[in-house]
Amino acid sequence: MSDVRIKHDADDENEVHDVATFADQARNVVTPVLRLPEDAALAVVTAFAGIVRAAKRSTAATTRDRDGIVRSQVFEEGDVYMLESPFDGFFADRYVMDFYNVTERGVCSRMHLHTGLRFVRMMTGPDTRIRVSSLSPFEVTDIPGVTPFVPEAFDDELPGAPEGVRRTRHNLVVPPCSFVDMQIPRGVSHQFNAIGEHAVIDSVHPEESVETFRERMSGYRMMAQTVFLADELPPSDSCDLRA
């Protein structure tokens, strides 16, 4: 395991690195899992989103616990709730994210990377898609007879890059009423944007305590464990889907 720190300031919640010189050291791996009927997909996504929304109203979830953890947090892509926290002898945790609808919000999330690896399961309901992006091509799992579909993929140019800098953005689309997994190695760029009302992520951080110690962070905070590759949130038309 590399002990090289990624962040310049461990607790900075808006640290931005130079996108012109950034290079991914690995690739994200995407695995389509299943398609669901509309009513089943809506029930699952609504139930997960309900957990996050209940946490926002909870005094216990919005104040520090005995370990100094605030379970209800806010990230660029949506509201999050730490469903399961790390403890001595178990350095992983689990978050649920209730996505913002970028069309309604008017802005997209920024391309970013994390100081520790992530495993995410993206889930969509009716009339909702998630655009997943990276500065490196995705590896897509396709096991004949098992993998239910191959996601739509396309490339475009990363918006908001400094003058004279051009970076290719690789994109995948999670279709409505689908579960799609993604393995995100430490320090690899990615960007999620939901188009529609019904999208959640169930996210496992298998080295949460390790990365916090490695970076010398003072607590478990999604924003502090993130490095952005743009100064500002781009407008929603920069992460919309092609007609």
Side-chain angles (χ1 to χ4, degrees):
M1 178 181 68
S2 171
D3 60 358
V4 177
R5 291 171 60 178
I6 291 178
K7 297 202 71 173
H8 303 311
D9 179 348
D11 288 323
D12 188 347
E13 297 192 357
N14 190 37
E15 182 164 301
V16 179
H17 286 195
D18 183 7
V19 70
T21 59
F22 175 79
D24 288 319
Q25 299 301 307
R27 293 185 177 185
N28 300 306
V29 177
V30 173
T31 302
V33 178
L34 55 82
R35 303 290 295 269
L36 289 172
E38 285 195 357
D39 57 347
L42 182 60
V44 170
V45 172
T46 300
F48 273 106
I51 296 170
V52 181
R53 294 168 189 176
K56 289 188 71 173
R57 301 188 299 267
S58 165
T59 301
T62 54
T63 56
R64 293 185 181 277
D65 63 16
R66 63 183 181 182
D67 295 316
I69 297 172
V70 178
R71 288 177 178 261
S72 179
Q73 302 176 28
V74 176
F75 194 62
E76 281 202 354
E77 298 145 339
D79 297 322
V80 295
Y81 172 63
M82 184 189 285
L83 190 65
E84 297 149 24
S85 60
F87 54 86
D88 287 344
F90 196 91
F91 45 78
D93 62 18
R94 190 175 207 134
Y95 284 86
V96 177
M97 177 183 288
D98 179 17
F99 271 105
Y100 301 127
N101 179 353
V102 298
T103 304
E104 180 181 278
R105 193 182 183 209
V107 293
C108 305
S109 67
R110 291 175 284 179
M111 189 72 72
H112 62 276
L113 53 134
H114 291 300
T115 59
L117 64 91
R118 303 286 194 259
F119 173 83
V120 303
R121 171 160 289 173
M122 298 170 278
M123 296 174 277
T124 55
D127 303 315
T128 302
R129 291 172 289 176
I130 299 172
R131 175 172 171 168
V132 191
S133 307
S134 178
L135 295 177
S136 296
F138 295 95
E139 294 185 10
V140 180
T141 304
D142 185 8
I143 307 300
V146 180
T147 303
F149 63 92
V150 176
E152 174 192 358
F154 62 96
D155 292 348
D156 64 358
E157 188 173 323
L158 181 71
E163 185 175 353
V165 174
R166 299 186 64 180
R167 297 296 304 263
T168 298
R169 179 170 59 173
H170 305 273
N171 306 277
L172 285 173
V173 179
V174 178
C177 303
S178 300
F179 287 12
V180 174
D181 289 351
M182 189 160 97
Q183 295 163 276
I184 307 172
R186 175 179 184 244
V188 175
S189 64
H190 57 286
Q191 179 184 29
F192 301 111
N193 285 290
I195 299 92
E197 297 292 335
H198 309 294
V200 295
I201 275 183
D202 181 9
S203 175
V204 178
H205 304 176
E207 55 174 349
E208 184 86 301
S209 297
V210 173
E211 68 178 283
T212 302
F213 176 78
R214 180 172 56 213
E215 299 287 336
R216 302 295 187 262
M217 295 170 184
S218 62
Y220 300 102
R221 302 187 310 284
M222 285 279 287
M223 294 292 282
Q225 291 164 276
T226 302
V227 174
F228 295 101
L229 294 172
D231 291 306
E232 299 179 349
L233 279 71
S236 58
D237 60 3
S238 71
C239 62
D240 204 348
L241 294 169
R242 300 177 302 172

